[in-house]
Amino acid sequence: MLTWMQHHKKYLVVTIWISVIAFVGAGFVGWGSYDFNTDRSNAVAKVGDEKISYDEFNLKYSQLFAYYSQFNDGNYTQEQALKDGLDTQAINELIQEKLLLSYAKTLGLSVSEEEIAYDLAHQKVFHNESGVFDKNLYYNILSRNNYTPKTYEKMIHDELLLKKINVIFNIPLKEDEVDMFAASFLMQDKLKIQAIYVNEKDIVIDEKELYQTWEKNKQLYKSEPSYELTTYFLKPDLTQIDEKELAKFYEENKNDYKDFNGKILSLEQSKEKVLKDLNLAKLKLKANESYVALRKGELNFDTNITIKNTDIYYPLETIQKSKEKDFIKPFKFKDGYMIAQILKINPIQTQTFEQAKNEVKKLYIKEKTKQILEEKAKNALENFHGIDIGTYSRDSSKNNKVSDSIMNNTEFSEFLAQVFDTNKQKSYVLFDNKAIVYEITEQKLQNKEKEQIYKFIIEQSARQTKQALLKEELLKKLIELYPIKRYYKGNAN
């Protein structure tokens, strides 16, 4: 039994997938909104012919932020989200969705207006007190959240189309697949372990080997494209307030100033926002005039700057499509408007060894550390002297037989996952600065009663894992079919 189970363990993978946050709910709570403060006509990425808009990104980011906030009892901050790379995760998920959408359209799948209307009519967030879809409530909620009906209904269209394409992954389970998942879930290993360490500070850098590391990997070290711009910035004049003009502007646009319940705020209640919007509206006219004057040479630019593809406060898509000497039309920037002209475009270039040296050192040390750890781990396997840490299943927690100096809780979970995902009785698991050598001395299955208790989870995990593996393989092929362009690279450092 031990031999059979070890041989098949690489197939016995149990994955619990996190359910997706409700499409509407998280989108309107306002948690974790990611403010680009830039031209909304731009896209954060493009997959084939499918653009990923800032609105889509913000909705996905809000959904993820809400999810992690709930997981952390509301104690999840924007700083932590930035550290976790939540913005990059949001874009990666949207890219996967766009790949599937592109494929769905290639297959000829579509969504009718009737299907969109039916879905919309059954979204309770737009129901009035009588439980009926209320068109006015619909428009009000969208307006308060800066969505147009066209944008939101496009999102519904994509969501319904994704549901249709995802049907292809619903392949029935075979009995032996469920049995293997059950075995994986209920399997227990009695383990001995030995920790092997390497201190990165003790690694001596060989300049010749360092250069060879750069030579083998130099395509990884490229300079970012940059754009040298000359700019002209206009700020609104906040010194004069014409009360009559302010009141008139408010009356013409008062539907834009509402509280959370959709009630129109008075001028006094929304005065600060009304004043800001009025000044920007007046400034836009002046910005357009200045743009013409700059093109004619009647006005001079005032500041030269250099930006990169990570500078999301600029209209990157427009700039990337432009040529040297082209003018960039007025765009919102901070609290005003900016006009720009492209002076020079610096394309992507491979960095020289000296330019990339510091980054190459990191890769060199990482590779050296791994090499030394593997050598030590293999030697330790030949003369193994591990300590008995007891019996564990895949979902076990660390006990006091494994001190934090050997592995912390996160490392121990990763260690168990790798132990249960390999078919070797003796092996090792590598971490950044250590290796944990192990031997399975005994293996058994838990009783059938526990199998009945976990039957639903086992079947769900088997089904979801099978679907996920199929989707993963399909996405690999779709990346080859539909080119991906990323305009926003992420802010996590």
Side-chain angles (χ1 to χ4, degrees), residues 219-251:
Q219 293 305 314
L220 298 175
Y221 304 103
K222 295 181 179 292
S223 62
E224 289 187 55
S226 62
Y227 309 88
E228 297 177 24
L229 310 176
T230 184
T231 65
Y232 185 82
F233 182 62
L234 299 92
K235 291 185 67 174
D237 182 5
L238 303 177
T239 57
Q240 296 181 348
I241 301 175
D242 186 324
E243 295 294 340
K244 290 184 179 179
E245 187 179 17
L246 190 68
K248 181 182 177 183
F249 184 83
Y250 168 76
E251 285 298 324

Side-chain angles (χ1 to χ4, degrees), residues 152-217:
Y152 186 65
E153 286 159 26
K154 170 68 165 58
M155 291 180 181
I156 295 176
H157 169 278
D158 290 352
E159 188 75 7
L160 293 175
L161 192 54
L162 281 173
K163 288 180 180 178
K164 291 187 178 184
I165 190 67
N166 278 323
V167 170
I168 67 174
F169 303 116
N170 294 332
I171 298 176
L173 287 173
K174 297 178 181 178
E175 187 175 344
D176 59 346
E177 290 174 328
V178 177
D179 289 342
M180 285 193 294
F181 268 78
S184 174
F185 195 86
L186 302 173
M187 188 186 299
Q188 290 185 316
D189 288 345
K190 188 174 183 181
L191 295 166
K192 282 186 176 182
I193 65 168
Q194 179 183 350
I196 307 292
Y197 298 94
V198 169
N199 191 334
E200 291 182 357
K201 294 179 181 178
D202 296 335
I203 295 176
V204 178
I205 295 176
D206 183 307
E207 287 292 324
K208 184 178 179 181
E209 290 182 349
L210 187 65
Y211 183 84
Q212 290 172 345
T213 301
W214 170 78
E215 189 71 35
K216 287 187 296 183
N217 300 281

Side-chain angles (χ1 to χ4, degrees), residues 25-266:
F28 290 130
V29 294
W31 288 341
S33 179
Y34 197 98
D35 188 6
F36 284 93
N37 193 23
T38 188
D39 186 348
R40 292 284 168 173
S41 65
N42 294 328
V44 295
K46 188 177 181 183
V47 180
D49 296 327
E50 296 280 336
K51 286 186 177 182
I52 298 174
S53 69
Y54 286 103
D55 284 335
E56 289 176 293
F57 171 87
N58 230 332
L59 180 59
K60 177 65 72 175
Y61 183 89
S62 294
Q63 289 172 337
L64 290 172
F65 191 94
Y67 177 78
Y68 287 113
S69 184
Q70 289 172 346
F71 246 57
N72 290 274
D73 297 322
N75 299 317
Y76 194 68
T77 64
Q78 288 286 10
E79 290 75 19
Q80 186 60 45
L82 188 64
K83 184 179 178 181
D84 293 342
L86 205 63
D87 52 343
T88 303
Q89 183 182 343
I91 289 176
N92 289 341
E93 290 190 15
L94 286 167
I95 285 174
Q96 289 188 0
E97 290 176 7
K98 294 298 183 183
L99 285 168
L100 291 172
L101 286 170
S102 298
Y103 185 54
K105 291 175 182 178
T106 301
L107 293 177
L109 298 178
S110 62
V111 175
S112 67
E113 291 185 3
E114 289 77 12
E115 288 175 294
I116 295 172
Y118 180 85
D119 186 275
L120 189 58
H122 286 78
Q123 292 183 11
K124 292 184 179 180
V125 69
F126 303 126
H127 289 185
N128 58 25
E129 293 179 356
S130 302
V132 178
F133 177 82
D134 188 320
K135 185 168 69 174
N136 292 329
L137 180 61
Y138 171 59
Y139 290 141
N140 285 339
I141 291 177
L142 291 188
S143 176
R144 293 200 304 272
N145 288 274
N146 297 317
Y147 287 98
T148 64
K150 182 179 179 181
T151 300
Y152 186 65
E153 286 159 26
K154 170 68 165 58
M155 291 180 181
I156 295 176
H157 169 278
D158 290 352
E159 188 75 7
L160 293 175
L161 192 54
L162 281 173
K163 288 180 180 178
K164 291 187 178 184
I165 190 67
N166 278 323
V167 170
I168 67 174
F169 303 116
N170 294 332
I171 298 176
L173 287 173
K174 297 178 181 178
E175 187 175 344
D176 59 346
E177 290 174 328
V178 177
D179 289 342
M180 285 193 294
F181 268 78
S184 174
F185 195 86
L186 302 173
M187 188 186 299
Q188 290 185 316
D189 288 345
K190 188 174 183 181
L191 295 166
K192 282 186 176 182
I193 65 168
Q194 179 183 350
I196 307 292
Y197 298 94
V198 169
N199 191 334
E200 291 182 357
K201 294 179 181 178
D202 296 335
I203 295 176
V204 178
I205 295 176
D206 183 307
E207 287 292 324
K208 184 178 179 181
E209 290 182 349
L210 187 65
Y211 183 84
Q212 290 172 345
T213 301
W214 170 78
E215 189 71 35
K216 287 187 296 183
N217 300 281
K218 61 184 177 182
Q219 293 305 314
L220 298 175
Y221 304 103
K222 295 181 179 292
S223 62
E224 289 187 55
S226 62
Y227 309 88
E228 297 177 24
L229 310 176
T230 184
T231 65
Y232 185 82
F233 182 62
L234 299 92
K235 291 185 67 174
D237 182 5
L238 303 177
T239 57
Q240 296 181 348
I241 301 175
D242 186 324
E243 295 294 340
K244 290 184 179 179
E245 187 179 17
L246 190 68
K248 181 182 177 183
F249 184 83
Y250 168 76
E251 285 298 324
E252 292 173 349
N253 300 279
K254 62 183 180 182
N255 283 327
D256 293 337
Y257 308 104
K258 298 177 181 178
D259 64 15
F260 186 77
N261 295 316
K263 182 181 178 182
I264 295 175
L265 299 170
S266 68

Side-chain angles (χ1 to χ4, degrees), residues 404-432:
D404 286 341
S405 62
I406 297 176
M407 283 184 281
N408 59 35
N409 290 332
T410 302
E411 290 171 336
F412 187 72
S413 296
E414 184 180 341
F415 166 74
L416 281 184
Q418 292 198 42
V419 169
F420 278 89
D421 287 344
T422 186
N423 57 2
K424 296 178 180 178
Q425 188 174 347
K426 290 175 68 174
S427 187
Y428 54 86
V429 174
L430 293 177
F431 294 97
D432 290 339

